[in-house]
Amino acid sequence: MTGAQALVASLEKLDVDVIFGIPGGAILPAYDPLYDSKVRHILVRHEQGAGHAAEGYAASTGRVGVCMATSGPGATNLVTPLADAYMDSVPIVAITGQVHSAFIGTDAFQEADIRGITMPITKHNFLVTRVEDIPQALKEAFHIAASGRPGPVLVDIAKDALQNSAPFVWPGAVKIPSYRPTVKPHVLQIRQAVKLIADAKRPVLYIGGGVVRAEASSELKAFVEKTGIPVVTTLMARGAFPDSHELAMGMPGMHGTVSAVGALQRSDLLITIGARFDDRVTGRLDTFAPEAKVIHADIDPAEISKNRVADVPIVGDAKNVLKELNEQISKVDCADISEWVTYVTGLKKRYPVAYELPETGELSPQYVIKRLGDIAGPDTIWAAGVGQHQMWSAQLLPFERPDRWLNSGGAGTMGYCVPAAMGAKVGNPDQVVWGIDGDGCFQMTNQELVTCALNDIPVKIAVINNQVLGMVRQWQTLFYESRYSNTELHSQRVPDFVKLAEAMGCVGLRAETPDQVDDVINQAMAINDRPVVVEFVVNKDAMVWPMVAAGTSNDEIKIARDLAPDWEEEVL
């Protein structure tokens, strides 16, 4: 086979069903055998869209997402989604063409050292210059991406390796001596953890995205039912534990709930599983959960004690960790934590996530998102952009199941929403997929709606249009004396999002008043043969509350601009 044929044959053997990509000179040989392959190729409008679509596919299905680009600028356009996938532990494989191996290092046309560029933001990457090495590289790439802590892997293939021929040999079992993820926790660590849990008077389960990636939600729920311990779920873990459960305290951190932040701050034990003590959660680190001992379980040993020293470190897959904890916790008697549970559930009742409607009669963005959640329901797959609408979505949507919430958590990538929603819909064609985007994010990658229209991918996108870069404006209001420097995006409907949607082959709808909201959502829900864009024209001064200002303690959380919760007030 030629290297190009070997590449496509390898993808078929790996059961790849879809690739998101754009052809170009260096990768062009691969597109000829792809023409006859059973692997579906979706021609995107920008390589960044290909990368985010692969992320959306992977995060919603649990399978490895695949994107493909040519050398030079094609490859460098994948850098942002690769960094995004690396931060959020999303398993994707990026295949890039490279210039002829004899020209590597000569600054040849469309040459970029994509292997060197992406080394800090991939789990591993390959430069393949021999046709014989293509099957092995692909099989190892998929194994590395999906195993251990999931993440992105890049395979860069020289053009002559794609053009030359060699016998096709499919490798046997993957054995990489230097790569052996620890998936099963050590029994002594589990026993030490159980002892701390049994003795704790104010324990909290601090649950991160690792629980979602490990498909460990049922084990988590079983552990909560056994122990009665309150649960906080980070931005990346929304849906890992159902919000409707009485012990669900919501999301912690900068825009977390008072009950989640309060539970962490006043706990005496953090049972941390698949989370990494991110600065958005901890606030000022030296003030975070000051009285708590820490059990930290993670499949990535590099995360343990990186930010907060663990009293009991546990290296292992979250599913296996929770299985072992469930087995061992049944053998011990735990301390009575009823008073603690009463306290945190009291906080939850006293300080629910709330918002005020604009006195001007304008549409409230929070109301829009709440109604989207109410009408579409908890089975919907949600993809969000980055900014205020992302935080309101994380606070107000109904999260009852895992793998229904896609967003850019670690990197905070504007432009993530539309292509990620596209990838999720390709991977889950029978599911309703809504993207919730801001007008700023939407203008970065909305061209992928053309891809959706031409490829029968009927996503639904809600554009929360406040005509400004909302989160930046909020910070300018609070910390820069309302000096709104370069945050006004547009006025007088430039662009007109309804016309723009129609120009891209989508249905365009708009709501500007509260009485129009349900009608346009229901119209969008009824359209399943084309993409739909619904523009919601909302008040520009709405703010995300609660809020912990950057660099401050979580104890300084504000529930409105000048209001802080009274932690000591009776909440029973």
Side-chain angles (χ1 to χ4, degrees), residues 200-212:
K201 299 292 180 60
R202 303 190 306 279
V204 177
L205 280 155
Y206 165 24
I207 300 301
V211 171
V212 176

Side-chain angles (χ1 to χ4, degrees), residues 250-264:
M251 180 178 72
M254 178 174 278
H255 294 296
T257 63
V258 172
S259 55
V261 171
L264 291 175

Side-chain angles (χ1 to χ4, degrees), residues 52 61 75 84 96 101 215 229 246 250 265 281 286 322 355 364 388 399 411 430 472 556:
H52 291 319
T61 65
D84 193 273
T96 53
S101 60
E215 300 179 350
I229 295 174
E246 62 179 354
Q265 287 300 99
V281 169
D286 61 356
L322 282 161
Y355 58 91
S364 158
Q388 287 181 313
F399 295 110
D430 297 326
V472 184
E556 298 177 48

